[in-house]
């Protein structure tokens, strides 16, 4: 089965992913209110950048839940985990994920190099 069909039309995989997602979100609901709020804001922000099927984004969310659960267990304030620049924290989380911005960057560079890159002088 091609990767495209496996990601978008594999019913068993989709059902399993939905079940796992619900279990993970139950873990989020068990976190203190501040942690829940920050997680949901980060989640909403990150989904705006998700590309493809989003399975790699789910892995990042699961890891974030584990990080937050550890922070709660250690008595650490949520912003001591993320830092005050939560957007920069999100950028780090997204570094290895497939995102639309990465696709846009690749398209921009490819299109420009294809059109004008071959005729330039190397100095």
């Amino acid at each position: 089965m091609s990767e495209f069909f496996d990601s978008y039309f594999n019913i068993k995989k989709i059902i399993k992913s939905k079940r796992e997602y619900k279990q993970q979100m139950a873990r989020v609901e068990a976190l203190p209110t501040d942690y829940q709020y920050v997680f949901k804001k980060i989640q909403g922000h990150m989904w705006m950048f998700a590309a493809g099927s989003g399975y790699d984004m789910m892995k990042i969310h699961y890891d974030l839940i584990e990080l937050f659960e550890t922070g709660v267990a250690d008595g650490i304030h949520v912003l001591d985990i993320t830092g005050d620049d939560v957007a920069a924290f999100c950028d780090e989380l997204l570094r290895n994920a497939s995102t639309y911005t990465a696709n846009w960057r690749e398209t921009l560079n490819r299109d420009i190099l294809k059109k004008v890159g071959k005729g330039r002088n190397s100095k």
Side-chain angles (χ1 to χ4, degrees), residues 5-21:
F5 285 105
D6 187 48
S7 293
Y8 293 100
F9 296 109
N10 185 331
I11 301 301
K12 288 181 183 179
K13 186 175 184 178
I14 292 169
I15 291 170
K16 180 182 177 196
S17 293
K18 284 186 176 187
R19 186 178 316 118
E20 288 175 5
Y21 179 78

Side-chain angles (χ1 to χ4, degrees), residues 53-64:
S53 64
Y55 290 118
D56 57 342
M57 196 66 67
M58 299 283 286
K59 170 74 171 111
I60 293 169
H61 287 159
Y62 298 161
D63 291 344
L64 181 59

Side-chain angles (χ1 to χ4, degrees), residues 26-83:
R27 290 171 60 193
V28 171
E29 295 301 323
L31 293 170
T33 306
D34 288 351
Y35 275 86
Q36 288 180 40
Y37 177 78
V38 173
F39 178 87
K40 290 175 183 176
K41 294 295 279 185
I42 289 172
Q43 181 185 42
H45 176 78
M46 289 174 57
W47 276 113
M48 291 188 301
F49 298 98
S53 64
Y55 290 118
D56 57 342
M57 196 66 67
M58 299 283 286
K59 170 74 171 111
I60 293 169
H61 287 159
Y62 298 161
D63 291 344
L64 181 59
I65 293 167
E66 289 181 19
L67 178 64
F68 279 10
E69 287 173 335
T70 300
V72 170
D74 292 343
I76 299 171
H77 189 276
V78 67
L79 292 180
D80 289 335
I81 294 172
T82 63

